[in-house]
Amino acid sequence: NASYPFHGTHQSGIVTPAQDRLHFAAFDMSSTASRADLIELLQDWSSAAALMCQGKPVGEFGAVDGPYDAPPEDTGEALDLPTGGLTITFGFGPSLFVDASGADRFGIASQQPAELRELPHFPADDLDPQRTGGDLCIQACSDDPQIAVHAIRNLSRIAFGRASLRWSQLGFGRTSSTSTSQVTPRNLFGFKDGTANIKAEQLGKVMNSVWVPASATPSWLAGGSYMVARRIRMTIETWDRTALSEQERIIGRTKGEGSPLSGGTEFTAPDFAVLGRADKPLIDADSHVRLAHPESNAGTEILRRGYNFVDGNDSLGRLEAGLFFISYQRSPAQFIDIQMNLAKNDLMNEYIRHVGSGLFAVPAGAKQGSYVGAALFV
Ligand code: HEM
């Protein structure tokens, strides 16, 4: 039963070994909320999150020890459950700084990082506005789905009157490893996912690719990161009718071991120059791994932390399934460059569709006694 502290230099839930379950939620501030309301909300969210990460109920009296004639402060479904490795990670969307009408509702417009803008439209994007954007976001991860859901439920309840849920996503089954201590899981295409991910133990890569440097302007985001969330629908019925050889060509790795098609085992570096029959490289030039690899992106890397999802079925009887992609990077440009490369040429595009999206600035961790994002309001 893992437990991770809420307070610290960085927020938990980024380089924390990816837990098995996700409840992600994006919120909009209410039209009447003031700067003071926003600050109080972040303070209330931070205190509640700190309690829940210790496995405690929210509020002074929790779920069953409060006044008998009032609704309990905590909703109660996590009573008797362990900490479950819960992490709660908060992010700020571009619209928190300047809303759609150009208004600076909370007096923070001058603090908006130049890079915190809506993501560009990528080729074939099919975004649903109801699963896109948001003033604020919360990523709750745990090894127990009930613990992650309890966290989002109670934080939504605390926000009542100040912010309301805009969209949310449940995820089961991590699709990446973020620590060398973890085995590589599989996505819904049945392939190992997370092999070539940045791992927490690779301190140099984490420092250079994940955390916003101290020299950044505005300085309130130093020690934080940028989170990209993409709800990617996978047409798995079509995928399941595709030959194994074609599936492996699309990914650029074997389905069983997850080794690059250029040879070796799972963690052997891919060699994109090795030629197969008829002068064809063993790894297709348009395979997902080739196009996403640092060699094809001027060395750019990101930390992936996504989840599988199946939300029942659609009206055509197909599984409403896919990958809820989450990545962390010190600059949104890292994601944008890789995704532009993929969106144009990736062989996988025939089987996926990006239907939801969000970009959020994720502040550094809160100090004990303080709250997430405090540096934004000094
Ligand atoms: C690698 C699947 C979307 C970036 C991989 C691998 C698989 C995979 C199976 C190989 C194993 C590994 O190294 O993790 C998928 C699926 C996706 C998806 C099923 C969508 C449904 C994306 C997106 C991005 C991305 C949107 C970023 C824009 C990467 C990167 C690698 C990778 C950077 C590592 C490449 C390398 O250095 O070898 N992905 N991926 N993927 N993917 Fe994706």
Side-chain angles (χ1 to χ4, degrees):
N1 177 39
S3 113
Y4 303 106
F6 176 71
H7 298 103
T9 311
H10 306 291
Q11 289 198 65
S12 305
I14 302 174
V15 293
T16 310
Q19 303 93 324
D20 269 344
R21 306 296 179 125
L22 165 80
H23 194 176
F24 173 89
F27 293 81
D28 283 334
M29 292 299 292
S30 91
S31 55
T32 54
S34 65
R35 179 181 168 102
D37 290 330
L38 172 59
I39 293 173
E40 269 178 44
L41 173 62
L42 295 171
Q43 289 169 335
D44 294 351
W45 270 358
S46 297
S47 337
L51 287 170
M52 289 190 282
C53 290
Q54 297 167 58
K56 295 180 183 160
V58 304
E60 199 178 334
F61 301 110
V64 291
D65 295 326
Y68 208 41
D69 52 3
E73 289 173 291
D74 185 284
T75 55
E77 73 273 28
L79 286 177
D80 319 321
L81 295 178
T83 46
L86 177 67
T87 56
I88 298 173
T89 316
F90 295 98
F92 303 159
S95 55
L96 186 69
F97 295 82
V98 177
D99 72 9
S101 68
D104 176 10
R105 293 172 291 167
F106 308 110
I108 51 176
S110 64
Q111 296 294 317
Q112 179 171 14
E115 297 196 283
L116 185 64
R117 308 281 161 193
E118 294 304 332
L119 290 171
H121 177 89
F122 298 101
D125 265 5
D126 186 15
L127 303 182
D128 174 355
Q130 294 185 346
R131 296 186 195 274
T132 296
D135 294 342
L136 297 158
C137 80
I138 308 177
Q139 171 201 277
C141 297
S142 167
D143 292 323
D144 181 332
Q146 181 126 333
I147 293 174
V149 167
H150 170 261
I152 294 296
R153 176 177 174 192
N154 282 268
L155 295 169
S156 309
R157 189 164 176 251
I158 288 169
F160 184 76
R162 299 179 281 187
S164 55
L165 200 66
R166 177 183 171 89
W167 60 285
S168 69
Q169 181 67 52
L170 287 170
F172 70 92
R174 60 187 170 91
T175 58
S176 68
S177 303
T178 53
S179 164
T180 50
S181 65
Q182 297 182 293
V183 294
T184 316
R186 287 179 189 269
N187 60 37
L188 293 180
F189 284 155
F191 277 74
K192 287 190 187 174
D193 203 339
T195 302
N197 202 17
I198 294 181
K199 308 278 158 65
E201 293 79 5
Q202 297 172 315
L203 298 178
K205 286 192 181 197
V206 170
M207 193 59 76
N208 292 327
S209 297
V210 179
W211 304 129
V212 173
S215 57
T217 45
S219 59
W220 67 267
L221 192 54
S225 192
Y226 286 91
M227 177 209 290
V228 169
R230 303 282 286 183
R231 186 176 194 270
I232 307 176
R233 178 84 191 267
M234 291 164 40
T235 41
I236 53 181
E237 288 79 4
T238 322
W239 178 262
D240 295 344
R241 288 194 293 268
T242 304
L244 178 60
S245 53
E246 178 66 1
Q247 293 185 2
E248 292 193 345
R249 185 174 81 92
I250 291 167
I251 302 292
R253 288 182 175 272
T254 62
K255 194 164 188 176
E257 160 82 15
S259 46
L261 293 183
S262 48
T265 54
E266 185 188 348
F267 294 101
T268 307
D271 183 343
F272 301 109
V274 180
L275 298 178
R277 275 180 306 170
D279 278 359
K280 280 193 179 267
L282 288 173
I283 302 183
D284 195 292
D286 288 336
S287 65
H288 181 71
V289 158
R290 158 110 202 304
L291 294 174
H293 194 270
E295 262 184 41
S296 311
N297 297 282
T300 302
E301 290 186 71
I302 54 179
L303 184 147
R304 289 171 284 142
R305 214 177 185 286
Y307 286 84
N308 296 320
F309 71 84
V310 177
D311 295 340
N313 57 275
D314 66 16
S315 56
L316 299 175
R318 298 175 304 196
L319 284 183
E320 173 68 46
L323 191 152
F324 193 71
F325 176 93
I326 296 178
S327 67
Y328 287 94
Q329 46 273 307
R330 66 145 58 164
S331 159
Q334 292 159 261
F335 169 82
I336 294 170
D337 289 352
I338 299 174
Q339 175 55 19
M340 214 37 113
N341 209 12
L342 293 176
K344 285 184 192 149
N345 295 315
D346 193 352
L347 291 170
M348 197 198 275
N349 290 342
E350 204 178 321
Y351 305 89
I352 62 173
R353 203 154 35 96
H354 288 237
V355 294
S357 177
L359 171 67
F360 302 92
V362 174
K367 293 195 187 71
Q368 200 86 37
S370 185
Y371 62 97
V372 164
L376 179 54
F377 300 96
V378 289

